[in-house]
Amino acid sequence: QLNSIGSIGNEAIMADEMLYRDYVYDTYLSLSDEFPAADTVFDERYEDGLQAAMYESSGSNAQLLYNVGYIKTWLRNNCSYSLSAGDLPFGKDFVTNFITETKKGSCSHFASSAVLLLRYKGIPARYVEGYIIKPGDFTSTKNPGETDTVEVTDARGHAWVEIYIDGYGWYPLEVTSGYGNIRTDKVTEAETEPQMTS
């Protein structure tokens, strides 16, 4: 879907979007001065894959697509979903501890990590919390005009990421292993080679 995003056609809206874009880039690229977890994620495989992706594609979103795919794949292949990740040791950074030490955590770990990794690569990103409601939660046999109700409890709470795409706006990304039939257990070393898809 990211590959098919086009720009806004209306000139007045484009002018407003340019003003908002300045705000987004000033706000949603901020990082602390030190981010050691980036060295763990963006190794030589990242550089090799980026060069290949840029060589194979001339599209304007090629680098964005590669970075998003790489980060999602790295998190999926190297970290596992768990609601019992343990307490954060005193003085440790939440994201760095997740990426370099425990490699297991909840949706807040995955989303927080992805936001900082995306920002590190120059992609405006923000952390979002809300609730998950899936199509299967609704009754499939409804007549026109009938409504359906779904009970939304705290157990439906979830965190995800939104990235900002110039000329389009905020685009949601699911980065948590364990959602959408993604495996939740730790993978073996042989399975950790990233495979990028657009």
Side-chain angles (χ1 to χ4, degrees):
Q1 291 177 340
L2 280 173
N3 217 11
S4 62
I5 289 176
S7 62
I8 301 167
N10 182 303
E11 286 185 29
I13 294 174
M14 286 174 61
D16 288 342
E17 194 272 337
M18 289 291 288
L19 291 173
Y20 182 65
R21 186 185 308 177
D22 291 341
Y23 165 76
V24 166
Y25 277 81
D26 286 343
T27 306
Y28 295 102
L29 284 174
S30 64
L31 280 172
S32 64
D33 291 336
E34 293 185 18
F35 186 38
D39 293 334
T40 300
V41 176
F42 300 114
D43 55 14
E44 59 278 350
R45 288 183 300 174
Y46 168 81
E47 295 298 333
D48 293 344
L50 178 60
Q51 295 303 319
M54 298 310 290
Y55 178 76
E56 292 171 8
S57 175
S58 59
S60 60
N61 286 337
Q63 191 163 352
L64 169 70
L65 291 169
Y66 177 77
N67 281 314
V68 167
Y70 183 91
I71 291 166
K72 288 177 69 172
T73 301
W74 192 95
L75 289 170
R76 183 187 69 226
N77 288 348
N78 293 280
C79 303
S80 59
Y81 182 81
S82 174
L83 292 176
S84 50
D87 295 331
L88 180 66
F90 180 78
K92 289 271 192 174
D93 175 72
F94 181 75
V95 168
T96 300
N97 189 64
F98 172 64
I99 289 175
T100 64
E101 301 293 330
T102 64
K103 294 186 170 121
K104 67 178 183 175
S106 66
C107 55
S108 61
H109 292 84
F110 282 87
S112 297
S113 299
V115 164
L116 296 184
L117 293 167
L118 288 160
R119 289 181 180 186
Y120 185 81
K121 287 300 173 184
I123 301 168
R126 65 185 181 186
Y127 176 93
V128 184
E129 288 185 343
Y131 296 90
I132 293 290
I133 300 172
K134 299 179 180 178
D137 294 332
F138 296 94
T139 306
S140 58
T141 55
K142 284 288 175 195
N143 294 318
E146 290 183 327
T147 60
D148 211 345
T149 302
V150 175
E151 184 177 349
V152 180
T153 66
D154 285 345
R156 297 293 188 106
H158 189 50
W160 61 94
V161 176
E162 289 180 348
I163 60 170
Y164 188 81
I165 300 172
D166 295 348
Y168 176 81
W170 292 103
Y171 186 89
L173 294 176
E174 177 57 72
V175 296
T176 302
S177 293
Y179 276 82
N181 298 323
I182 299 171
R183 72 173 139 256
T184 58
D185 54 337
K186 183 131 173 75
V187 297
T188 65
E189 181 71 20
E191 296 175 294
T192 59
E193 188 67 24
Q195 295 177 1
M196 300 304 123
T197 58
S198 56

